[in-house]
Amino acid sequence: MNFAFSVQGLTKRYPHFHLGDLDLRLPEGQIMGLVGVNGAGKTTLLRILTGLALPDRGQVEVLGLPMPGQQVAVKRDLGFASEDMRLYRSRTLRWHMDLIARIYPGWDEAYASELLRRFDLRADQAVGGFSHGQRVKALLLLNLSRRPRLLLLDEPTTGLDPVARAEVLEALAEVLRDEQRSVLFSSHNTHDIEQLADTITFLHQGRIVASEEKERFLDLWRRIVCQGDAAFEQVDWPEVAAARRSGSLVELKVRRFDDGIRERLAAGGLAVQSVHPMSLEDIFVTTVRTGGAA
């Protein structure tokens, strides 16, 4: 299997932050969502993958080439868009498109024209007159039209209002359905990640707390409401990530649900009242609060 990127034993230290030891790989053609609160280390990881930051220790390969040694070759097939990237406000989008086309031989003008239509952008408009959502779409267009093999998106929907966020995500999802490209999409918004990603990685305080296929996360986690007087909080079951009692009701958040858990609960004096799926956000919050693997 070929990997869009691979990191092993990756460590990066700053005065007040430590990233590591990270082992993470993204198979080619997949979309990975990198979920974490602000300050979790998402941007640091993406900066290392782009060659903008150097690791203190560990091995980093991007598109099969070692980084940072081969970053010039890597960047020909690497796209990167971040919410804090800036365009020249007085220049038109067409000017930016022509600039990128001169730098990158792989620029696809026909595809750029198609993305202009999909993203509902005007090439002859100065980007200073764009809304925040339009600027995000313009950055995506400038990256995607180069046909990069790996696209890194660092919090691209931050600061967007709900309507603009929905428009950007719908447009991006439409493009990614048509293309066999690898994508690493970082966000603290689990709803954005859930809409796009094949695989989810939870990053917290510089370490990976869980990494799994999205559907497997959603299939295995359940919120169970039970009734009974048993002191379940004192029972140590590895499947139970969190337990909370309210009167005679006990709410359990279970990371490896199966039908046998009902029988075990009944044997322990707790009758199952209901079983509910959990959202990705609830799974993430529970995993971070308990400090364990999902």
Side-chain angles (χ1 to χ4, degrees):
M1 178 182 294
N2 295 325
F3 296 98
F5 74 81
S6 172
V7 300
Q8 293 181 306
L10 176 64
T11 297
K12 179 67 177 178
R13 288 186 179 273
Y14 293 103
H16 303 290
F17 177 73
H18 174 213
L19 181 73
D21 291 320
L22 298 191
D23 293 320
L24 189 63
R25 300 185 299 183
L26 174 63
E28 285 188 346
Q30 289 195 14
I31 302 173
M32 176 182 287
L34 188 64
V35 182
V37 299
N38 293 331
K42 303 185 301 297
T43 296
T44 298
L45 174 58
L46 268 65
R47 285 176 61 83
I48 290 173
L49 292 175
T50 60
L52 295 174
L54 300 178
D56 294 331
R57 185 168 59 85
Q59 295 180 336
V60 180
E61 285 192 358
V62 179
L63 300 174
L65 298 173
M67 292 286 284
Q70 296 294 320
Q71 62 176 299
V72 173
V74 166
K75 287 177 180 177
R76 283 196 288 265
D77 292 312
L78 181 69
F80 178 56
S82 172
E83 61 92 17
D84 61 357
M85 295 178 74
R86 297 293 180 262
L87 300 173
Y88 292 96
R89 294 178 55 85
S90 62
R91 301 290 188 173
T92 65
L93 177 55
R94 178 75 264 171
W95 182 89
H96 288 84
M97 294 164 66
D98 291 341
L99 174 65
I100 299 298
R102 287 194 295 270
I103 297 172
Y104 292 96
W107 177 268
D108 188 334
E109 182 61 31
Y111 188 42
S113 298
E114 171 65 14
L115 291 178
L116 278 173
R117 183 192 63 80
R118 289 191 184 191
F119 291 168
D120 193 23
L121 295 173
R122 288 180 51 193
D124 60 351
Q125 183 177 355
V127 298
F130 281 3
S131 67
H132 184 36
Q134 288 173 319
R135 286 195 296 274
V136 170
K137 291 179 182 179
L139 282 171
L140 290 174
L141 180 149
L142 293 172
N143 274 279
L144 291 167
S145 298
R146 292 172 37 224
R147 300 279 191 179
R149 291 168 55 197
L150 173 61
L151 179 63
L152 305 178
L153 302 175
D154 187 16
E155 302 273 5
T157 58
T158 297
L160 296 179
D161 61 66
V163 173
R165 177 184 288 114
E167 289 176 348
V168 168
L169 289 173
E170 287 172 6
L172 187 56
E174 182 181 358
V175 168
L176 295 178
R177 277 196 301 268
D178 294 345
E179 298 296 320
Q180 286 298 313
R181 80 177 79 241
S182 308
V183 181
L184 180 60
F185 183 114
S186 84
S187 180
H188 62 269
N189 190 320
T190 56
H191 299 292
D192 294 354
I193 295 291
E194 191 167 355
Q195 184 169 334
L196 293 173
D198 304 306
T199 302
I200 309 292
T201 296
F202 294 155
L203 192 66
H204 186 60
Q205 295 181 344
R207 68 185 184 95
I208 295 172
V209 294
S211 187
E212 188 68 83
E213 290 182 1
K214 177 181 67 178
E215 296 305 325
R216 186 165 174 80
F217 267 130
L218 298 175
D219 285 346
L220 291 180
W221 280 80
R222 291 293 185 274
R223 183 173 66 88
I224 306 174
V225 178
C226 310
Q227 189 165 24
D229 296 324
F232 183 81
E233 296 90 333
Q234 301 175 10
V235 178
D236 183 17
W237 287 8
E239 302 97 326
V240 177
R244 181 171 62 90
R245 178 180 289 279
S246 178
S248 63
L249 294 179
V250 176
E251 180 189 73
L252 309 174
K253 293 183 178 180
V254 178
R255 60 168 62 92
R256 290 289 185 267
F257 177 78
D258 61 47
D259 290 334
I261 290 180
R262 296 174 182 267
E263 298 178 1
R264 293 164 61 193
L265 290 171
L270 290 171
V272 174
Q273 301 296 303
S274 58
V275 178
H276 307 275
M278 289 175 60
S279 68
L280 191 63
E281 180 176 354
D282 200 1
I283 294 169
F284 171 65
V285 170
T286 302
T287 301
V288 167
R289 285 181 174 174
T290 57

